[in-house]
Amino acid sequence: MEQTKIKVMIVDDQKELAEELKSVVETDEKLTVVGMAYDGVEALQKMPEAHPDVVLLDIRMPNMNGVVATQRIKSDYPDVKVVILTTFDDSDYILNAINNGASGYLLKDVSSAALINAIKNAYDGDTILPAKIARRIAQAAQNIEADREIKLARAFSMSDREIEIALMMYEGFTNRQISAALKLSEGTTRNYVSAIYIKTNSENRAEAVQAIKEVL
């Protein structure tokens, strides 16, 4: 019995590059290209007929960029895997695309073998993140966290520990969970939370979380 091929759609506004990608994909007997589109809008129009398993999607395109297209594809076709292609290792784009459901991210200078493997791995449910990009994501996440800490310190003159606990409160942790995570007694945690109430001019946890949210 013949094995079912993985169906791939290629979406890139650079037609010459799209054709090159198509040629590479079709060198593998387990893959087949079922659709070509040159922007996000056209990709969405062709999705019902093409029924792809994996979409190779350029991130910077006219009419609808890859981040928005990813969101729309994953909303309408949650089982379809989206692999982002770009020449830009831009952290904001990376985070936005993955937050919107992309299975991974590849730079366009990836080798033919790596591209084919990425499609197969995405189809199998793996996340595709080259080391260079993974480092950028980690750095971006650290920058976001550092930015939040600076904002709280400036707004409320909190200590490092108070900032740590305030962010955990914002994320929905209970006092008991905070105590366990930070290896503090529940009494100590309550004291920190009380100090946070005072510094945020709050009467209760909900008001404190709201005050923190407004700063972040």
Side-chain angles (χ1 to χ4, degrees):
M1 183 176 176
E2 185 178 352
Q3 184 177 0
T4 302
K5 292 188 176 184
I6 298 171
K7 296 177 290 184
V8 181
M9 176 185 276
I10 297 169
V11 187
D12 197 308
D13 63 311
Q14 299 178 44
K15 294 188 178 183
E16 187 174 333
L17 179 57
E19 290 295 335
E20 289 177 10
L21 291 169
K22 181 175 185 286
S23 298
V24 169
V25 170
E26 291 189 332
T27 61
D28 192 286
E29 61 184 11
K30 294 181 180 178
L31 308 178
T32 183
V33 175
V34 294
M36 303 279 285
Y38 304 108
D39 63 43
V41 174
E42 186 180 7
L44 287 167
Q45 291 171 344
K46 291 187 173 182
M47 285 291 295
E49 183 178 350
H51 293 295
D53 299 307
V54 178
V55 177
L56 292 179
L57 185 65
D58 184 20
I59 203 154
R60 297 206 180 196
M61 297 180 294
N63 300 325
M64 182 186 292
N65 68 34
V67 174
V68 177
T70 297
Q71 185 180 32
R72 293 281 300 278
I73 289 170
K74 293 301 293 184
S75 174
D76 295 344
Y77 309 94
D79 293 334
V80 173
K81 311 298 183 184
V82 177
V83 177
I84 297 294
L85 290 168
T86 189
T87 54
F88 302 88
D89 54 342
D90 184 289
S91 299
D92 291 337
Y93 275 103
I94 295 168
L95 290 167
N96 285 337
I98 290 175
N99 286 340
N100 282 326
S103 295
Y105 207 95
L106 289 174
L107 297 177
K108 287 185 179 179
D109 59 3
V110 66
S111 69
S112 297
L115 175 64
I116 288 168
N117 285 336
I119 293 169
K120 292 177 179 177
N121 290 340
Y123 177 75
D124 288 337
D126 295 339
T127 299
I128 316 303
L129 281 179
K132 178 181 179 183
I133 290 172
R135 285 195 296 271
R136 290 294 295 272
I137 289 178
Q139 184 60 51
Q142 288 174 3
N143 290 343
I144 289 169
E145 190 64 21
D147 184 56
R148 295 165 82 191
E149 291 171 1
I150 290 168
K151 286 178 178 177
L152 287 179
R154 285 177 177 169
F156 303 120
S157 300
M158 291 183 183
S159 67
D160 289 347
R161 180 64 93 183
E162 287 168 350
I163 289 170
E164 190 173 21
I165 291 173
L167 287 172
M168 293 181 78
M169 290 168 61
Y170 173 73
E171 297 292 347
F173 284 73
T174 65
N175 283 5
R176 179 169 293 181
Q177 290 169 333
I178 292 170
S179 298
L182 301 183
K183 296 181 172 57
L184 301 173
S185 71
E186 289 194 41
T188 299
T189 298
R190 282 195 299 273
N191 289 339
Y192 277 118
V193 170
S194 295
I196 290 167
Y197 287 178
I198 293 168
K199 290 188 175 183
T200 57
N201 194 27
S202 304
E203 295 291 333
N204 53 50
R205 198 180 200 87
E207 287 183 12
V209 169
Q210 182 59 36
I212 293 163
K213 181 179 180 180
E214 288 172 1
V215 168
L216 299 181

